[in-house]
């Protein structure tokens, strides 16, 4: 798809890009700090994502930059590869980002964008919820002004009640103000005020309270007597370099042959690619003009962006759903909005670097805790329950597997649990990876797709490719009357395909569902022959 020229919608795209910049700036800083990277690393990622990826990507309305979903992967990499040396871990992780970016670029060239469908929805949602829980557990101590405890994820979560009994009142008040703003700001009805992004209010209130409490001079040890095993943070404001040149770091490839290094590479590549592809597909559904992204081209562009970002000290990036949604709401019309967002970020750090150093870490932590809660909200658990008990079980298994091990192993355990569930239902090993279907012409410009046996997350890529090749404006009928099992991932795909095909001027029907029993209360729950 040819990108619109700058002259087409430059006014709308500049306005949308500026509003997205206001949302992105504090999030970029917070994500970088939470990832164990310097704050400028998040800024670098947003600049590269906006100025470079927007021009070579395959999406129109996505905003590219650092994302909360990668915090866990990057922080784990810094801690594991650095072995206690934060700067060394940062530079080793930059090398992992560069290699992961190169892999993403290769995957994009080999049209691997469709492989995102291989990951079952329940496992993906479990992964996101686990990431949300980890973000909350890591950022709550920052909101209290204390250092987190516990070497592992589970031990850190277990130590939270003890750690949070003692807190810095000034820091806690700044964080609480941020949470109140994030919850209450969307309820404001005044049109002009609603146009101001809530993250900007959080940061502004944090800066004002930080000046009031003199955070730059605060001595935490003098606040009150505390047990020796509870440690306060050593500083409470964002640390920002005096010059932009001091912000750039080169990657260190010294651990290129180590297993931990390649574990980081695979995790960054897997989670980043999956989030980017899912976000880009979700943004397409919000596009008022009903345009569709070239996911392979987008994956390739993100890979190139990560390669460049990692080479100069930046975080990895994805196509980010929240900022992309804000771009659409603000009237963004093309990928130039992403470009302008990156340009405004660059302009701000050039003109106002000293202002960044006055931002309290507690305000950034409040933004991230709110983000983490949205990923792991009770509604996420309720939605899994609506899809059926087995979907809830897979959702919970994935969460606990990630918390007990790491993100990569947890996702693999979730996928293995899903496959074992299907085997337990009688699906043959051959059917796990191969779907049985027939494409039949039923008249001029009319097609019937007859599915038999089991249609699962692990075998439906061939079906997905087949229906993607059908021209618009025809009649497509999915006949599921001969199917024995349709899992949630495939049900969701067929339903979304039907909706999109109708929106593009075609006719699409789903037949045979009456012969299958729903395994949950949700309309897209898995179905099995009665």
């Amino acid at each position: 798809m040819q990108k619109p020229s700058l002259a087409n919608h430059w006014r709308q795209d500049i306005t949308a890009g500026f509003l997205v910049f206001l949302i992105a700036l504090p999030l970029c800083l917070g994500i970088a700090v939470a990832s164990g990277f310097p704050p400028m690393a998040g800024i670098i990622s947003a600049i590269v994502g906006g100025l470079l990826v927007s021009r070579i990507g395959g999406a129109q309305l996505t905003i590219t930059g650092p994302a909360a979903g990668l915090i866990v992967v990057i922080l784990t990499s810094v801690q594991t590869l650095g072995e206690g040396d934060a700067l060394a871990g940062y530079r080793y992780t930059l090398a992992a980002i560069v290699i992961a970016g190169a892999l993403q670029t290769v995957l994009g060239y080999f049209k691997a964008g469709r492989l995102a469908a291989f990951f079952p929805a329940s496992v993906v949602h479990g992964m996101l919820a686990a990431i949300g829980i980890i973000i909350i557990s890591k950022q709550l101590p920052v909101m209290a002004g204390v250092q987190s405890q516990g070497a592992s994820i589970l031990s850190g979560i277990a130590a939270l009640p003890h750690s949070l009994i003692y807190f810095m009142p000034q820091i806690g008040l700044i964080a609480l103000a941020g949470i109140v703003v994030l919850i209450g700001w969307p309820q404001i009805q005044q049109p002009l005020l609603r146009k101001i992004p809530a993250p900007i209010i959080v940061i502004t209130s944090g800066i004002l309270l930080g000046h009031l409490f003199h955070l730059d001079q605060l001595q935490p040890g003098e606040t009150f007597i505390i047990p020796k095993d509870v440690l306060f943070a050593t500083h409470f404001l964002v640390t920002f370099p005096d010059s932009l040149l001091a912000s750039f770091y080169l990657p260190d490839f010294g651990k290129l042959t180590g297993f931990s290094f390649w574990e980081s590479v695979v995790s960054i590549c897997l989670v980043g690619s999956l989030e980017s592809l899912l976000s880009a597909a979700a943004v397409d559904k919000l596009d008022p003009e009903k345009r569709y992204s070239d996911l392979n081209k987008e994956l390739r562009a993100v890979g190139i962006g990560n390669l460049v970002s990692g080479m100069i000290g930046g975080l990895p990036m994805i196509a980010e759903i929240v900022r992309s949604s804000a771009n659409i709401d603000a009237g963004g019309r093309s990928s130039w909005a992403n470009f302008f967002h990156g340009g405004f970020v660059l302009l701000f750090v050039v003109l106002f670097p000293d202002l960044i150093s006055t931002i309290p870490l507690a305000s950034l932590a409040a933004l991230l805790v709110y983000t983490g809660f949205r990923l792991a909200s009770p509604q996420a658990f309720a939605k899994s329950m609506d899809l059926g008990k087995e979907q809830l079980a897979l959702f919970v298994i994935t969460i606990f597997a990630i918390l007990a091990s790491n993100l990569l192993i947890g996702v693999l355990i979730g996928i293995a649990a899903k496959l074992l569930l299907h085997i337990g239902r009688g699906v043959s090993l051959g059917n796990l990876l191969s779907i049985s279907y027939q494409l039949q012409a039923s008249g001029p410009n009319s097609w019937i797709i007859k599915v038999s046996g089991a249609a699962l997350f692990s075998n439906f890529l061939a079906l997905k490719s087949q229906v993607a090749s059908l021209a618009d404006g025809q009649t497509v009928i999915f006949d599921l009357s001969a199917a024995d099992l349709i899992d949630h991932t495939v049900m969701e795909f067929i339903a979304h395909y039907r909706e999109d095909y109708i929106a593009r001027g075609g006719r699409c029907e789903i037949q045979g569902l009456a012969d299958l029993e729903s395994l949950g209360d949700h309309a897209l729950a898995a179905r099995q022959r009665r």
Side-chain angles (χ1 to χ4, degrees):
M1 179 185 297
Q2 185 177 3
K3 289 183 178 293
S5 68
L6 177 60
N8 290 1
H9 309 294
W10 66 271
R11 290 181 179 85
Q12 298 96 319
D13 287 336
I14 285 180
T15 302
F18 180 75
L19 290 174
V20 172
F21 144 72
L22 294 177
I23 297 172
L25 181 68
L27 290 174
C28 290
L29 294 169
I31 290 167
V33 172
S35 300
F37 272 34
M40 187 62 187
I43 299 294
I44 291 172
S45 177
I47 293 171
V48 173
L51 300 185
L52 173 63
V53 176
S54 70
R55 307 321 321 135
I56 62 176
Q60 291 294 336
L61 296 177
T62 57
I63 300 297
T64 316
L70 284 168
I71 289 175
V72 177
V73 177
I74 301 301
L75 180 61
T76 301
S77 178
V78 171
Q79 294 173 339
T80 303
L81 298 179
E83 299 178 348
D85 187 334
L87 180 59
Y90 166 46
R91 294 187 62 206
Y92 288 134
T93 301
L94 289 178
I97 293 169
V98 170
I99 301 297
L103 286 177
Q104 288 176 312
T105 305
V106 172
L107 289 172
Y109 274 112
F110 283 96
K111 302 186 183 302
R114 63 178 187 161
L115 292 180
F118 182 80
F119 295 87
S122 53
V123 173
V124 173
H125 294 154
M127 177 190 79
L128 295 175
I131 289 171
I133 292 170
I134 296 170
I135 290 172
I136 292 171
S137 70
K138 295 291 186 182
Q139 294 303 306
L140 279 177
V142 180
M143 290 176 62
V146 300
Q147 295 183 23
S148 60
Q149 301 180 32
S152 67
I153 297 172
L154 289 178
S155 62
I157 294 173
L160 280 178
H162 177 65
S163 301
L164 299 179
I165 291 176
Y166 303 92
F167 62 92
M168 293 287 297
Q170 301 95 322
I171 305 302
L173 182 59
I174 291 172
L176 179 62
I179 293 295
V180 169
V181 168
L182 290 168
I183 294 174
W185 199 255
Q187 312 305 319
I188 292 177
Q189 301 301 319
Q190 216 286 331
L192 291 178
L193 289 178
R194 284 179 62 88
K195 290 184 178 180
I196 304 174
I200 288 298
I201 305 301
V202 172
I203 296 304
T204 303
S205 64
I207 291 174
L208 293 176
L209 289 172
H211 282 300
L212 178 65
F213 297 144
H214 303 290
L215 291 193
D216 56 335
Q217 305 170 21
L218 194 61
Q219 298 296 320
E222 300 175 359
T223 307
F224 43 68
I225 299 175
I226 59 171
K228 293 182 179 180
D229 60 342
V230 176
L231 300 176
F232 282 129
T234 55
H235 63 281
F236 306 102
L237 297 173
V238 171
T239 303
F240 207 72
D242 295 330
S243 69
L244 288 179
L245 289 179
S247 305
F248 298 109
Y249 284 85
L250 296 176
D252 185 342
F253 293 90
K255 293 198 172 183
L256 189 63
T257 58
F259 176 79
S260 296
F261 178 85
W262 285 98
E263 188 176 24
S264 295
V265 169
V266 173
S267 296
I268 294 168
C269 181
L270 170 66
V271 178
S273 301
L274 190 57
E275 281 205 71
S276 279
L277 294 170
L278 293 175
S279 296
V283 172
D284 285 346
K285 293 180 172 59
L286 303 176
D287 185 354
E289 299 182 31
K290 302 298 180 183
R291 292 167 292 186
Y292 288 86
S293 301
D294 183 336
L295 295 182
N296 294 309
K297 188 176 181 181
E298 183 70 6
L299 179 59
R300 188 164 67 238
V302 168
I304 293 172
N306 284 336
L307 197 156
V308 172
S309 181
M311 286 299 298
I312 58 177
L315 279 168
M317 66 197 68
I318 70 164
E320 210 280 330
I321 182 66
V322 174
R323 275 159 265 170
S324 300
S325 300
N327 177 39
I328 295 171
D329 292 341
R333 302 290 294 277
S334 75
S335 59
W336 283 103
N338 189 15
F339 178 87
F340 288 124
H341 132 266
F344 282 122
V345 172
L346 174 60
L347 190 63
F348 183 87
V349 297
V350 169
L351 297 178
F352 308 107
D354 293 339
L355 186 59
I356 295 177
S357 300
T358 64
I359 299 175
L361 294 173
S363 295
L364 300 180
L367 288 171
L368 294 175
V369 166
Y370 185 74
T371 300
F373 179 78
R374 292 174 65 180
L375 290 173
S377 67
Q379 287 86 345
F381 287 81
K383 182 179 178 181
S384 293
M385 184 63 190
D386 286 343
L387 292 170
K389 293 180 180 178
E390 95 253 359
Q391 296 297 319
L392 178 62
L394 291 168
F395 179 79
V396 173
I397 287 171
T398 303
I399 291 174
F400 277 102
I402 290 172
L403 296 181
S405 55
N406 61 45
L407 200 142
L408 182 59
I409 292 175
V411 169
L412 293 177
I413 289 174
I415 292 174
K418 179 82 167 180
L419 293 173
L420 288 173
L421 175 66
H422 289 324
I423 292 173
R425 283 181 170 150
V427 178
S428 66
L429 292 177
N431 199 179
L432 278 178
L433 298 176
S434 178
I435 190 172
S436 177
Y437 73 93
Q438 291 180 328
L439 177 64
Q440 303 170 343
S442 60
N445 300 322
S446 182
W447 303 91
I448 295 179
I449 303 165
K450 191 174 183 64
V451 179
S452 57
L456 314 170
F457 78 97
S458 55
N459 69 13
F460 85 111
L461 286 180
L463 174 63
K464 184 177 182 180
S465 299
Q466 180 73 73
V467 299
S469 67
L470 298 177
D472 294 344
Q474 303 186 67
T475 296
V476 178
I477 298 174
F478 288 92
D479 183 357
L480 308 180
S481 59
D484 296 322
L485 175 66
I486 309 287
D487 77 359
H488 165 61
T489 303
V490 180
M491 283 294 300
E492 189 173 56
F493 161 70
I494 293 176
H496 288 167
Y497 179 85
R498 175 181 176 275
E499 179 182 322
D500 293 342
Y501 196 76
I502 292 173
R504 299 199 304 270
R507 176 171 169 260
C508 187
E509 296 180 5
I510 303 173
Q511 299 179 355
L513 289 180
D515 301 320
L516 302 172
E517 179 182 4
S518 178
L519 300 179
D521 296 331
H522 196 279
L524 301 181
R527 307 233 175 188
Q528 189 172 24
R529 182 161 298 282
R530 298 177 188 276

